[in-house]
Amino acid sequence: MTGEDDPTTGVMTEIRVWRGRAADEGRYDVYRVPYEEGMSVLDALVWVRGHVDSSLAVRYGCVNANACKTCMALVDGQVAYMCTARLTPAGGKVEPLPKRPLIRDLVTDTVPDDEKLDPSGRRE
Amino acid sequence: MYAAIAAARNDASALLLDKSLVGRGGATIIAQMTVAAAIGHEEPDHWTDHLQDTLAAGRELCDEGLARLLCENGPARIFEMDGWGAHWARGADDRIRQVKAPGHGRARCCYVDFLNTGPGVAGTLRRQVSTLDPVRRVSNIAVTDIVVHDGRAVGAVGLDVVSGNVVTFAAKAVVLAAGGLTKIYRRNSASTNMGGEAYALALWAGAELIDMEFVQFFPIAHLAPRLVGMDPIMWDPFRYKLGGRLLNGDFEEFMHRYGGQDSGTYTTVRDQASYAILKEVEAGRGSPHGGVYLDFRHVPDATLRGAFGPVIDRLAHNGIDLTQTPVEVAPTAHYHMGGIRVNGRMETCVPGLYGAGEAVGGANGANRLSGNAITEALVFGECAGREAAAAVAGTPHGWTARAAEGAVERLNGALGATDDSGIPANVLQQRLQTVMWENAGSFRTADQLGRALDGIREIREAPVAVRPTGSYNLDIQDRLELRAMLTTAESVVRAALGRGESRGAHQRLDFPESDERLVGNQVIEMRDGELTARWPAGAGR
Ligand SMILES: Cc1cc2nc3c(=O)[nH]c(=O)nc-3n(C[C@H](O)[C@H](O)[C@H](O)COP(=O)(O)OP(=O)(O)OC[C@H]3O[C@@H](n4cnc5c(N)ncnc54)[C@H](O)[C@@H]3O)c2cc1C
Ligand code: FES
């Protein structure tokens, strides 16, 4: 991660992020983030956590190698890996995967059932 | 994962916990290069030759027993994984292809095409571990303490990241294989869970660490333009195969100013290259993002494609055309040679507590050869799982809830509190990364290291913001990780202060020479909550 070293171009972009704890009780928060050419949606979300609101929940692992495959979400309505989906100066919208149970914000339940604490898949 | 596999086939049941999803966190999955093992498929080779090369790179500090274990057992792990369907690259003769990486006297580094070694290794182990009934996998558990009772490791306490609940695990033995620490530095090649929690967990449980001053920095990690879908250290094979010139921000060669040479060859050793790059940047001659340029414009397109085929397309996808534009590169924290002190059975000094993988120190001494880290993870994992299974066979559980009380209370306290006035833990993590990068990087002085200790203390005392948000609370995860990162960072700084010489990856600008009296491994331990560094008898000053 090199985010802290980036020379600021002064260009800002906007990212609309779905936030909430239950699928029917969410809202979109809009964040203005410094734009850098080639930046990913995940870069923007990590910036938001580090500069605006650390409580934003997002699941990721390898940051940009696109190896761990844990960072899936809906980017502008399409299923995508947030670490490779590019953000443009025109901005973007990120939402949790619609077909997975919601955990919080952008995090959905993508843990295989046999890797859960309770084998029935239930968590208390 | 290898430890769980080995435990299961030695008649034990194993619980495999990971803060991420099992087999998707950490370094293994992002490693794109090679795995070193003297299997002799490419050319005649023997593990003793591999050992000689490993010891030479370690600058007299390797634990010979551990280095030997790595080199001797590496081939067995490569072949075993081959049987489990690892797609090692093969030649037309069906023999496994091996390349020669710097420091290795033979072509002994196996790989999975194209630049897919780590995902191949992790995927193979993930599949294998999922076929074993005695192994229970649980994802998204962040372990926060090892539980010790009557001097024995008897289990662990952790946070179920998804629910936000505290969970306890009873075990007859615990294998700590939670990876490296490079996330404590601002520039790093790490994935999210590499804040060095393994080292702190070991110290808190009463185990010792060795060689903590030896963090490996990789000189030419990718810096800009933004590159996604690739391992940041991917320029290394480009340099072996194609040369590539290093130029400063004014597009001039500079290596000769620091006693090296470049001119499109790849002969300058890593430490010298890192030093030269950092000095150019310091002198105001860096590239726009604070590194230098790596230039392949003199290499014809056909040659680039011949050597790296699909990777050239992936670069094009990132808007990078090497025939037109140089990329920016800079040194980055990459791997940790030091770690948990273990014997040849992977036992720590705490009975029932084992180490494995990058978290273990000693095998690579003062510097690691490329390709040895994955081998280390495979070999030490297998060894730890097998030894732990043998040691606990027929023994009763030593778990008592009382022994876990302190850790559970501390964790519940962290979860229950609310105080929005402080600084978010991820912001404090960034501060720590800057403190470590500026004062405890590959080139350090006593003054800088003193400032690093001050910085660590200030961050430890800073008020942390705490928000009660229950499920998937990254604030809490960051806070727990920060606590470990601070302990681990302090152990690196204390060890670096204790070694008044330059050797391998530890370069003291105030002690530029090696000192024969310091051939020995410093040990870090925690006594009454304080970290201390000590030299073994016969070494040190
Ligand atoms: C970008 C990159 C490229 C590399 N390339 C190579 C290469 O080509 N060849 C080579 O030999 N080596 C390479 N290395 C080094 C090598 O990948 C690692 O040393 C090795 O994979 C470490 O394996 P491990 O199993 O010990 O740890 P990891 O693979 O890092 O696994 C550690 C696991 O522990 C989990 N964890 C951490 N903390 C906790 C906690 N508190 N509770 C629960 N779980 C936790 C993590 O989520 C992770 O899944 C590379 C490293 C990097 C970063
Ligand atoms: S963060 Fe690993 S694939 Fe996106």
Side-chain angles (χ1 to χ4, degrees):
Chain A
M1 284 262 319
T2 58
E4 290 298 296
D5 304 315
D6 295 339
T8 38
T9 53
V11 182
M12 302 294 279
T13 184
E14 262 183 13
I15 185 161
R16 281 164 68 82
V17 183
W18 193 92
R19 309 251 348 227
R21 306 243 214 148
D24 51 359
E25 287 170 31
R27 62 174 195 276
Y28 289 90
D29 279 355
V30 180
Y31 303 101
R32 279 171 66 69
V33 300
Y35 175 73
E36 215 214 333
E37 176 132 15
M39 80 188 291
S40 68
V41 167
L42 182 60
D43 289 340
L45 297 174
V46 169
W47 189 91
V48 168
R49 285 205 66 239
H51 295 86
V52 190
D53 186 354
S54 64
S55 75
L56 171 64
V58 48
R59 189 198 286 278
Y60 63 98
C62 64
V63 190
N64 62 8
N66 195 223
C68 72
K69 312 291 184 193
T70 62
C71 66
M72 274 203 283
L74 279 192
V75 176
D76 294 329
Q78 305 284 326
V79 175
Y81 294 111
M82 290 182 278
C83 71
T84 49
R86 307 283 186 169
L87 195 63
T88 67
K93 185 169 80 171
V94 207
E95 299 160 292
L97 292 175
K99 294 195 176 139
R100 296 278 186 170
L102 182 78
I103 294 175
R104 195 159 77 88
D105 298 346
L106 298 173
V107 181
T108 49
D109 185 2
T110 49
V111 180
D113 281 345
D114 60 354
E115 291 180 16
K116 291 180 181 173
L117 257 193
D118 178 344
S120 68
R122 190 173 52 88
R123 288 186 186 260
E124 49 274 55
Chain B
M1 287 188 281
Y2 226 122
I5 294 169
R9 68 183 173 203
N10 285 282
D11 306 320
S13 58
L15 183 62
L16 179 53
L17 305 177
D18 201 302
K19 191 170 167 177
S20 174
L21 303 189
V22 169
R24 294 183 190 274
T28 308
I29 195 125
I30 44 175
Q32 291 181 338
M33 305 304 158
T34 63
V35 188
I39 60 171
H41 272 211
E42 194 75 30
E43 60 172 314
D45 196 0
H46 194 268
W47 67 263
T48 50
D49 296 324
H50 186 187
L51 178 60
Q52 284 316 313
D53 292 341
T54 300
L55 297 179
R59 301 281 319 273
E60 300 180 74
L61 291 195
C62 292
D63 175 321
E64 279 205 42
L66 294 181
R68 180 190 161 120
L69 186 71
L70 186 165
C71 298
E72 191 174 2
N73 290 1
R77 302 285 73 82
I78 295 287
F79 293 133
E80 182 162 67
M81 291 189 58
D82 197 42
W84 294 338
H87 292 284
W88 302 120
R90 293 190 123 83
D93 55 1
D94 205 38
R95 290 166 75 80
I96 294 173
R97 294 292 322 269
Q98 293 177 283
V99 291
K100 186 169 166 178
H104 289 280
R106 301 276 193 290
R108 68 166 67 97
C109 296
C110 311
Y111 56 95
V112 179
D113 268 330
F114 279 94
L115 299 188
N116 209 27
T117 302
V121 167
T124 303
L125 293 178
R126 219 165 43 225
R127 271 196 314 280
Q128 187 60 22
V129 89
S130 71
T131 63
L132 301 172
D133 282 340
V135 181
R136 175 87 170 79
R137 292 158 290 139
V138 187
S139 285
N140 280 164
I141 301 291
V143 172
T144 54
D145 274 290
I146 305 296
V147 179
V148 178
H149 178 57
D150 281 347
R152 268 197 85 79
V154 295
V157 172
L159 173 73
D160 175 0
V161 168
V162 173
S163 68
N165 292 334
V166 176
V167 265
T168 56
F169 303 92
K172 293 179 183 176
V174 178
V175 178
L176 249 177
L181 56 59
T182 46
K183 191 181 163 186
I184 63 175
Y185 288 94
R186 186 175 55 150
R187 278 194 190 145
N188 63 61
S189 61
S191 58
T192 41
N193 297 340
M194 289 170 65
E197 290 176 82
Y199 311 100
L201 287 169
L203 283 172
W204 296 331
E208 298 166 332
L209 309 181
I210 60 164
D211 294 345
M212 288 304 283
E213 62 273 41
F214 294 103
V215 180
Q216 186 171 60
F217 288 78
F218 179 79
I220 52 163
H222 185 83
L223 186 60
R226 190 76 180 102
L227 179 63
V228 298
M230 315 235 11
D231 165 351
I233 68 148
M234 44 125 356
W235 296 115
D236 218 24
F238 275 75
R239 290 217 78 196
Y240 321 143
K241 286 198 186 172
L242 304 171
R245 296 159 64 210
L246 283 176
L247 307 174
N248 67 15
D250 303 327
F251 291 96
E252 303 159 343
E253 290 192 0
F254 58 90
M255 221 40 107
H256 58 274
R257 293 195 187 125
Y258 307 93
Q261 56 156 337
D262 197 70
S263 309
T265 60
Y266 192 21
T267 51
T268 307
V269 295
R270 282 184 177 184
D271 302 337
Q272 201 178 15
S274 291
Y275 183 73
I277 294 171
L278 295 172
K279 281 286 160 195
E280 283 297 295
V281 175
E282 218 177 271
R285 293 190 296 267
S287 64
H289 291 79
V292 296
Y293 290 109
L294 176 61
D295 187 6
F296 293 97
R297 283 176 298 177
H298 56 291
V299 183
D301 191 40
T303 315
L304 284 169
R305 285 205 170 267
F308 290 100
V311 180
I312 302 296
D313 294 327
R314 255 193 266 170
L315 288 170
H317 197 68
N318 279 279
I320 296 173
D321 177 352
L322 296 177
T323 63
Q324 298 298 321
T325 32
V327 294
E328 291 179 55
V329 296
T332 197
H334 182 53
Y335 171 82
H336 190 44
M337 270 73 74
I340 304 169
R341 188 180 197 201
V342 295
N343 62 18
R345 290 192 293 273
M346 299 294 131
E347 294 165 331
T348 66
C349 64
V350 178
L353 182 61
Y354 295 73
E358 184 169 337
V360 161
N364 296 289
N367 225 333
R368 167 188 69 109
L369 288 181
S370 118
N372 267 8
I374 296 180
T375 317
E376 165 185 75
L378 304 174
V379 170
F380 290 3
E382 191 279 335
C383 178
R386 175 167 39 82
E387 293 289 349
V392 304
T395 64
H397 267 289
W399 172 265
T400 67
R402 268 200 86 147
E405 255 170 25
V408 169
E409 262 170 37
R410 191 167 48 241
L411 188 50
N412 271 325
L415 295 172
T418 335
D419 177 1
D420 214 5
S421 64
I423 306 162
N426 63 331
V427 174
L428 291 174
Q429 287 190 4
Q430 286 170 12
R431 284 193 197 164
L432 175 65
Q433 290 174 325
T434 302
V435 164
M436 290 300 285
W437 182 256
E438 288 176 355
N439 300 299
S442 39
F443 303 93
R444 12 172 104 157
T445 62
D447 284 351
Q448 285 176 308
L449 292 166
R451 284 200 288 280
L453 283 182
D454 293 342
I456 289 170
R457 193 178 322 109
E458 277 165 29
I459 295 166
R460 202 174 261 145
E461 288 165 3
V464 194
V466 195
R467 300 180 181 134
T469 45
S471 61
Y472 220 91
N473 182 341
L474 289 183
D475 279 320
I476 295 284
Q477 284 186 60
D478 288 341
R479 248 173 87 203
L480 297 170
E481 187 180 54
L482 174 68
R483 169 174 172 253
M485 284 169 86
L486 286 162
T487 298
T488 297
E490 184 181 337
S491 69
V492 171
V493 176
R494 294 218 176 267
L497 265 172
R499 184 176 287 279
E501 65 153 356
S502 291
R503 182 182 298 272
H506 166 76
Q507 295 289 318
R508 281 282 297 264
L509 296 174
D510 45 352
F511 292 96
E513 304 298 328
S514 301
D515 182 343
E516 282 313 298
R517 291 170 304 172
L518 300 183
V519 172
N521 308 83
Q522 278 187 98
V523 175
I524 300 276
E525 59 194 342
M526 186 164 256
R527 287 209 181 137
D528 304 323
E530 297 291 324
L531 288 178
T532 52
R534 72 176 156 79
W535 287 92
R541 289 172 304 154

